Amino acid sequence: MPYRAPVEDFQFLFDHVVGLDRVTATDRFAEATPDVTAAILSEAGKLCEEVLAPLQRPGDLHPAKLENGVVRTSPGYAEGYKAIAEGGWVAIAADPEHGGMGLPMTVTTAVNDMMSAACLSLQLSPLMTQGQIEALEHHASDALKQTYLPKLVSGEWTGTMNLTEAQAGSDVGALSTKAVPNDDGTYAITGQKIYISWGDNDFTPNVCHLVLARLPDAKPGTKGISLFLVPKFIPDENGEPGRANDLKVVSLEHKMGLHGSPTAVMQYDGATGWLVGEEHDGMRAMFTMMNNARLGVGTQGVGVADGAYQHALAYAQDRKQGRSTIENGTGTIIDHANVRRMLATMKAETFAARAIALTCAAAIDMETATAAPDWAARAAFLTPIAKAFGTYTGIAVANMGIQLHGGMGFIEETGAAQYLRDVRVTAIYEGTNGIQAMDLVGRKLMDGGEAAYAILDEIESTAEAARAKHPELAEPVWQATESLREATEWMVAHNDMNNRFAGAVPFLRAFARVLGGHAHLLAAMHDTDGTRARLARFYITRILPEAQAHIAHATAGADDLYALAPEDFAA
């Protein structure tokens, strides 16, 4: 499918919305100069347009297969992955000590966005490896780092994350995989894991699995979980793949979408593993990888939204149907008001979700560079919003793309449906969007709302500054922010968590709506009479008002939900 990398959009967001200059002003990221960033975006865009986008349909039509215990990947994926690895795109943000570029997560997020739009199934592989690299950088022993990080950073080896078991999905503490100490300091890992993205492939010589397991003396629940690195092939004395480990791919899942991405059931039968971090402290180490992945998954949603939008726009500009009702119309369906509404919604929502993801990434970069508690709090607060709203946007925009195609959207040959099938799972994995929302109103408000209020103060300051140029846009943003402040105060005041959880999802969406209004307002301030100002007017006038409905839902409490008896739900 043709794809145009939105390099100019990223540069605009970096310069006028996200504030990348604040990141690059730190010593940690001083080498990420505007010239370097521009070159990275340009080269990544070419890779996505010329190498990855042509693999989108082949991966869907020719899924990965398991043949005699060997995973066979989709046509062209080996060459596509090789281009990713050789270009250094796997580990843009990784520590230069192990071969990474050491660039900001903000830049990595932009690259992941483009790669997701071009071919989400293949992009999942480097995303998993990126998360493993970060977990090992923070928690692994020096010996493990020296053996594994150079191979993972270069893309020579790939990484996975093994959490889920048949009886332990969101309740990770229910896992039963066992780890028994060996005499040589290693551990024997036994158990079965499901839903393992890119659990194996036929184009890298080794696959490294991070596996959650329980030691014999472990406590029940999450406090008794440890994390282990379990490679497909055990490295020899030279650090090269040696003998095969005692693990295998049992089967590949038959999925709604992401056919090119092999999602494996993994079996470990006394496989040799190495402890990452401390015993019984595996969740802390794994959360390093999971938080990385949550931003990455939200970014996947944004990328798919952009791909679906571009696909729908091309169709709207070509499809002739009905008579144009406007003077000097094109004669295609883009002349029709409802088609314009759909396209404007898709474009405006994608911009908002992209801005939120990049703002979250910039906060992570500032936390990395400064270790300041306020940046850490902001990054933590924005992460569940970036994940949930990014994936929600991907699903909503892909669904609208099908609608815009009309009957042809329901025909697989047009490719419109693939975007929706591929992106749908992103709202489920790395913590469902409901769990992200519960985290937002739970742990992320344990500070009494301090991080939330700091963000709301910043949005209101922007609205005040915008009154001179765009009073008609500034006022609705300011008012929506005040309403959201009151909703945040309501959440903080309610100690009964069911009252918070009952409105968690609409609260998250209301926050995302206001953050989106903020991003569009900033864009309008720097493009006063241009396309971005016109798009901001559309978003703030037509989409931002949804925040009020979300707030009403968010602050309704839980009584009406529990007034419904179980038998009231009977069909």
Side-chain angles (χ1 to χ4, degrees):
M1 298 177 182
Y3 168 69
R4 181 195 66 80
V7 171
E8 292 181 3
D9 290 348
F10 284 115
Q11 197 64 62
F12 179 89
L13 282 161
F14 286 171
D15 294 343
H16 303 302
V17 178
V18 177
L20 184 62
D21 58 341
R22 184 165 47 189
V23 173
T24 57
T26 65
D27 292 340
R28 174 68 175 79
F29 296 113
E31 293 184 7
T33 62
D35 287 347
V36 169
T37 300
I40 290 288
L41 291 177
S42 177
E43 289 304 311
K46 290 179 183 177
L47 171 76
C48 293
E49 292 173 351
E50 299 172 6
V51 179
L52 302 187
L55 301 176
Q56 170 88 334
R57 287 301 283 159
D60 190 52
L61 298 173
H62 305 285
K65 296 179 180 179
L66 183 63
E67 297 178 347
N68 300 319
V70 178
V71 171
R72 303 297 184 191
T73 56
S74 301
Y77 272 41
E79 292 77 11
Y81 180 80
K82 182 180 180 181
I84 293 171
E86 290 184 349
W89 302 112
V90 173
I92 305 171
D95 193 330
E97 180 182 350
H98 302 289
M101 295 186 191
L103 291 173
M105 180 59 66
T106 313
V107 178
T108 295
T109 299
V111 173
N112 284 343
D113 183 327
M114 291 187 282
M115 289 175 62
S116 299
C119 184
L120 181 59
S121 284
L122 184 53
Q123 188 271 342
L124 262 169
S125 177
L127 180 71
M128 292 293 97
T129 303
Q130 288 168 8
Q132 185 169 120
I133 288 168
E134 186 170 4
L136 295 179
E137 284 180 343
H138 283 84
H139 302 286
S141 67
D142 288 341
L144 285 180
K145 289 179 182 178
Q146 291 169 9
T147 299
Y148 288 91
L149 281 177
K151 302 285 191 181
L152 292 166
V153 166
S154 68
E156 184 178 345
W157 295 356
T158 56
T160 76
M161 178 167 55
N162 287 233
L163 290 78
T164 308
E165 299 178 11
Q167 79 292 342
S170 298
D171 183 11
V172 179
L175 66 82
S176 61
T177 297
K178 297 178 181 179
V180 178
N182 295 320
D183 295 335
D184 59 359
T186 64
Y187 296 78
I189 312 299
T190 300
Q192 188 175 96
K193 299 289 185 176
I194 63 174
Y195 303 153
I196 309 307
S197 297
W198 281 97
D200 201 2
N201 66 71
D202 56 359
F203 49 68
T204 62
N206 212 354
V207 180
C208 308
H209 304 283
L210 279 182
V211 183
L212 289 179
R214 197 180 299 281
L215 291 165
D217 62 343
K219 296 178 181 179
T222 56
K223 293 183 178 179
I225 295 174
S226 301
L227 181 64
F228 301 88
L229 181 57
V230 187
K232 178 181 176 181
F233 293 99
I234 298 174
D236 61 20
E237 63 276 7
N238 298 315
E240 298 300 324
R243 71 172 178 85
N245 211 342
D246 296 311
L247 59 87
K248 63 181 179 181
V249 177
V250 175
S251 63
L252 298 182
E253 304 290 1
H254 300 282
K255 308 188 297 279
M256 174 191 293
L258 293 177
H259 295 157
S261 168
T263 301
V265 175
M266 299 296 304
Q267 180 69 38
Y268 298 89
D269 295 309
T272 301
W274 284 261
L275 182 68
V276 176
E278 301 296 325
E279 291 186 354
H280 316 305
D281 196 28
M283 287 305 295
R284 186 170 69 92
M286 183 59 85
F287 262 112
T288 300
M289 184 172 187
M290 288 177 66
N291 281 329
N292 177 297
R294 283 171 176 171
L295 173 59
V297 170
T299 301
Q300 288 179 334
V302 179
V304 173
D306 190 24
Y309 166 72
Q310 291 190 31
H311 197 70
L313 175 62
Y315 183 81
Q317 292 172 325
D318 182 66
R319 172 67 168 165
K320 297 181 184 297
Q321 184 76 36
R323 296 177 60 184
S324 177
T325 58
I326 60 174
E327 187 176 352
N328 298 321
T330 66
T332 65
I333 62 172
I334 202 171
D335 292 347
H336 303 319
N338 190 49
V339 172
R340 290 272 176 110
R341 178 194 63 81
M342 287 190 282
L343 288 171
T345 300
M346 296 166 80
K347 187 175 180 67
E349 289 279 64
T350 301
F351 180 87
R354 178 172 283 150
I356 291 170
L358 292 173
T359 299
C360 179
I364 292 171
D365 287 329
M366 292 302 295
E367 176 191 1
T368 300
T370 68
D374 55 340
W375 282 114
R378 174 168 292 211
F381 189 85
L382 289 173
T383 294
I385 301 175
K387 192 277 180 182
F389 188 67
T391 58
Y392 165 79
T393 299
I395 293 166
V397 169
N399 186 52
M400 192 168 287
I402 293 174
Q403 188 69 27
L404 188 146
H405 277 76
M408 293 305 293
F410 203 66
I411 304 301
E412 283 289 353
E413 282 76 7
T414 65
Q418 183 185 343
Y419 292 105
L420 181 58
R421 289 189 288 101
D422 284 354
V423 79
R424 185 60 186 85
V425 72
T426 60
I428 298 171
Y429 61 34
E430 303 310 331
T432 67
N433 284 1
I435 288 175
Q436 302 301 319
M438 292 165 68
D439 175 52
L440 182 68
V441 303
R443 270 181 294 200
K444 301 305 163 56
L445 290 181
M446 286 177 66
D447 63 353
E450 185 176 338
Y453 297 140
I455 293 171
L456 297 176
D457 289 345
E458 182 179 310
I459 297 172
E460 289 188 349
S461 295
T462 298
E464 292 291 351
R467 289 188 189 278
K469 286 186 177 180
H470 294 288
E472 77 289 359
L473 302 181
E475 180 63 19
V477 172
W478 193 92
Q479 291 292 348
T481 308
E482 273 298 288
S483 296
L484 183 57
R485 185 186 300 275
E486 293 173 2
T488 304
E489 292 169 350
W490 185 96
M491 285 287 176
V492 171
H494 280 75
N495 294 323
D496 183 340
M497 294 309 295
N498 265 348
N499 277 325
R500 292 195 196 186
F501 291 161
V505 168
F507 179 78
L508 185 149
R509 290 192 180 177
F511 224 108
R513 281 277 168 261
V514 173
L515 287 167
H518 180 228
H520 275 287
L521 185 58
L522 283 169
M525 291 169 66
H526 292 93
D527 186 28
T528 302
D529 299 314
T531 297
R532 299 181 195 283
R534 291 190 287 273
L535 193 65
R537 186 171 297 110
F538 174 87
Y539 181 95
I540 292 170
T541 302
R542 295 174 181 260
I543 299 178
L544 180 61
E546 292 178 5
Q548 295 296 340
H550 290 319
I551 288 169
H553 189 167
T555 56
D559 288 350
D560 58 342
L561 294 180
Y562 288 96
L564 290 162
E567 55 268 23
D568 291 332
F569 292 100

